[in-house]
């Protein structure tokens, strides 16, 4: 048809109109009437979220244990703008959503559910309280943008209204990390009152001490099994892993690099950590801190330990946003100021080894190397 049309146009330019006459005189038949399919029912935001979460788990992109965190982020949009057809979610909706997040306090979902207030009334009630960090806002917006990008690939929506709405964070990353100072550490651990008898739960005593001397994450310590502490090459170590031979499969690692072995500092042994483990085994305990429990609302063992340590810091008048996680930053800072942020440190800290050859060739540093070059050098002014 296009070729014939061009031939007709060329003939007209020559003044020849005879070429098109057969087309005018040709018989034609009406196009058959095609029954158009009924308009599809609009997909609502709540339905998209359910579909998205199911597919993410099915495809292996998420694991079941992280589903609640992922779902909470994307469900934030539903809770703030309401349930509406996904193709009617506008750019203005997303800007309004992002701006609303910036007015909300930490753990707002939990508090909002308990309050029974509308989102506007809830914001008004908490307007003078600490608000979500820029990082938290960006993580939520990016999670929703990821969901919309997936929906576009699945031909469920035509555009991603949340793309590129992150807020520029002018605070340097290093400023966000708040380690405990040497004075803080001395005040908390070495002022004479940090003793097992001062705590109503042994985990509240041991977990911060282990973090101080190993740099381990809170949950890594709280989920330890008794079999994860053992002797190798004459050195006691902590084996951070998801695997277990005791039949209890409840450990979770944050990243693939979190799987590692850390030698136990001599001071922890002097404090009685090995004896504590031995007593736990005699009492037929599989987990090192069996008193710590997971619940549906608190799916991590370490939540209460973190809270208790936070209260201890307040008692010592150590504030400025410092928390249990500050112990991990203190561990890192100890080696940083000594120019010891090496591949060996990264192996102990659970971060990726930067040197390519170190990652792909050869073995990891041995326990003896780590102990002699790193762990044994940790000391505090008591």
């Amino acid at each position: 048809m296009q070729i014939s049309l061009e031939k007709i146009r060329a003939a007209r330019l020559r003044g020849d109109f005879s070429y098109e006459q057969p087309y005018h005189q040709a018989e034609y038949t009406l196009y058959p009437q095609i029954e158009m399919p009924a308009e599809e029912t609009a997909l609502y935001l709540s339905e998209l979220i359910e579909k998205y979460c199911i597919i993410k788990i099915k495809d292996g992109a998420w694991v079941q244990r992280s589903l609640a965190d992922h779902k909470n982020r994307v469900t934030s949009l539903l809770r703030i703008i309401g349930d509406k057809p996904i193709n009617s979610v506008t750019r203005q909706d997303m800007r309004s959503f992002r701006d609303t997040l910036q007015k909300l306090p930490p753990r707002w979902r939990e508090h909002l559910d308990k309050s029974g207030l509308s989102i506007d009334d809830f914001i008004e009630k908490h307007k003078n309280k600490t608000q979500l960090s820029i990082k938290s806002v960006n993580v939520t917006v990016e999670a929703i943008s990821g969901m919309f990008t997936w929906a576009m690939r699945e031909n469920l929506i035509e555009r991603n209204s949340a793309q590129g709405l992150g807020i520029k964070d002018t605070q340097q990353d290093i400023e966000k990390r708040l380690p405990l100072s040497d004075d803080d550490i001395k005040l908390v651990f070495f002022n004479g009152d940090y003793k097992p008898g001062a705590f109503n739960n042994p985990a509240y005593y041991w977990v911060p001490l282990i973090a101080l001397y190993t740099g381990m994450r809170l949950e890594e310590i709280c989920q330890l099994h008794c079999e994860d502490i053992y002797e190798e090459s004459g050195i006691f170590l902590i084996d951070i892993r998801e695997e277990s031979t005791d039949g209890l499969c409840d450990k979770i690692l944050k990243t693939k690099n979190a799987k590692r072995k850390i030698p136990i500092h001599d001071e922890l042994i002097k404090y009685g950590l090995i004896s504590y483990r031995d007593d736990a085994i005699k009492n037929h305990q599989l987990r090192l801190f069996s008193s710590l429990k997971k619940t549906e609302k608190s799916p991590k063992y370490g939540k209460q330990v973190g809270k208790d340590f936070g209260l201890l810091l307040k008692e010592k008048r150590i504030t400025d946003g410092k928390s249990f996680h500050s112990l991990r930053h203190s561990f890192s800072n100890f080696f940083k100021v000594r120019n010891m942020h090496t591949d060996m440190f990264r192996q102990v800290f659970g971060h990726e080894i930067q040197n390519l050859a170190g990652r792909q060739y050869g073995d990891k540093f041995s326990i003896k190397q780590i102990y002699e070059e790193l762990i044994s050098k940790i000391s505090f002014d008591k």
Side-chain angles (χ1 to χ4, degrees), residues 109-119 121-122 125:
R109 302 175 192 87
E110 178 183 341
H111 296 312
L112 178 63
D113 290 342
K114 292 180 180 178
S115 70
L117 299 172
S118 68
I119 192 72
D121 291 341
F122 182 79
K125 182 178 179 180

Side-chain angles (χ1 to χ4, degrees), residues 321-332:
K322 296 179 181 179
S323 64
F324 186 96
H325 198 61
S326 298
L327 291 169
R328 183 164 166 83
H329 295 316
S330 298
F331 184 88
S332 175

Side-chain angles (χ1 to χ4, degrees), residues 179-223:
L180 296 181
S181 67
D182 292 343
D183 289 339
D184 292 338
I185 291 173
K186 185 174 182 179
L187 184 61
V188 172
F189 294 99
F190 306 119
N191 69 342
D193 61 2
Y194 194 91
K195 300 176 181 178
F199 300 87
N200 57 17
N201 188 322
Y204 299 168
Y205 169 78
W206 280 114
V207 175
L209 265 182
I210 294 172
L212 180 67
Y213 283 97
T214 65
M216 290 172 63
R217 300 177 177 93
L218 173 60
E219 192 65 11
E220 288 176 342
I221 303 172
C222 293
Q223 68 184 6

Side-chain angles (χ1 to χ4, degrees), residues 52 63 91 162 214 221 225 287 298 300 312 333 362 366:
Y52 178 61
V63 293
R91 186 73 167 176
T214 65
I221 303 172
H225 290 195
R287 293 181 46 243
S298 301
K300 293 184 178 181
L312 178 59
N333 196 54
S366 70

Side-chain angles (χ1 to χ4, degrees), residues 91-327:
R91 186 73 167 176
Q92 186 55 44
D93 285 333
M94 288 308 308
R95 287 189 181 279
S96 176
F97 167 73
R98 183 196 63 184
D99 295 344
T100 300
L101 283 179
Q102 292 180 270
K103 301 174 185 176
L104 291 167
R107 298 174 60 197
W108 65 273
R109 302 175 192 87
E110 178 183 341
H111 296 312
L112 178 63
D113 290 342
K114 292 180 180 178
S115 70
L117 299 172
S118 68
I119 192 72
D120 291 334
D121 291 341
F122 182 79
I123 289 173
E124 179 64 24
K125 182 178 179 180
H126 295 83
K127 63 182 179 181
N128 295 323
K129 294 187 177 180
T130 303
Q131 297 172 336
L132 286 175
S133 66
I134 292 177
K135 179 181 178 180
S136 296
V137 172
N138 284 342
V139 166
T140 302
V141 173
E142 287 166 11
I144 293 166
S145 179
M147 179 177 69
F148 285 166
T149 297
W150 172 85
M152 286 177 64
R153 290 197 300 266
E154 299 293 319
N155 296 320
L156 298 173
I157 58 175
E158 298 176 356
R159 64 188 182 281
N160 182 351
S161 301
Q163 190 171 15
L165 279 180
I167 307 166
K168 184 176 180 181
D169 194 348
T170 57
Q171 187 181 22
Q172 295 183 358
D173 288 342
I174 193 69
E175 295 174 353
K176 300 174 187 176
R177 300 185 175 102
L178 298 171
L180 296 181
S181 67
D182 292 343
D183 289 339
D184 292 338
I185 291 173
K186 185 174 182 179
L187 184 61
V188 172
F189 294 99
F190 306 119
N191 69 342
D193 61 2
Y194 194 91
K195 300 176 181 178
F199 300 87
N200 57 17
N201 188 322
Y204 299 168
Y205 169 78
W206 280 114
V207 175
L209 265 182
I210 294 172
L212 180 67
Y213 283 97
T214 65
M216 290 172 63
R217 300 177 177 93
L218 173 60
E219 192 65 11
E220 288 176 342
I221 303 172
C222 293
Q223 68 184 6
L224 284 173
H225 290 195
C226 293
E227 67 174 13
D228 294 330
I229 295 180
Y230 57 88
E231 192 173 3
E232 183 178 293
S233 302
I235 299 173
F236 280 103
L237 61 85
I238 298 175
D239 193 347
I240 305 168
R241 55 187 174 174
E242 288 189 341
E243 302 83 13
S244 60
T245 61
D246 54 26
L248 186 60
C249 302
D250 64 337
K251 292 181 288 184
I252 302 169
L253 297 188
K254 184 176 182 180
T255 67
K256 64 180 181 180
N257 298 302
K259 183 176 181 179
R260 62 202 190 277
K261 296 178 181 179
I262 303 179
I264 297 176
H265 196 282
D266 291 342
E267 290 297 314
L268 286 175
I269 296 176
K270 288 180 182 178
Y271 292 140
L273 179 59
I274 305 303
S275 298
Y276 174 79
R277 180 212 60 176
D278 292 341
D279 290 340
I281 293 174
K282 288 178 183 177
N283 292 326
H284 307 289
Q285 296 176 10
L286 298 181
R287 293 181 46 243
L288 191 63
F289 304 111
S290 58
S291 60
L292 301 180
K293 306 295 182 183
K294 290 182 180 180
T295 65
E296 187 175 344
K297 290 186 176 181
S298 301
K300 293 184 178 181
Y301 289 122
K303 183 175 182 179
Q304 196 56 47
V305 179
K307 282 186 176 181
D308 186 82
F309 189 74
L311 292 174
L312 178 59
L313 292 180
K314 286 183 179 180
E315 289 177 10
K316 303 294 183 180
R317 297 184 180 179
I318 300 172
T319 53
D320 298 328
K322 296 179 181 179
S323 64
F324 186 96
H325 198 61
S326 298
L327 291 169

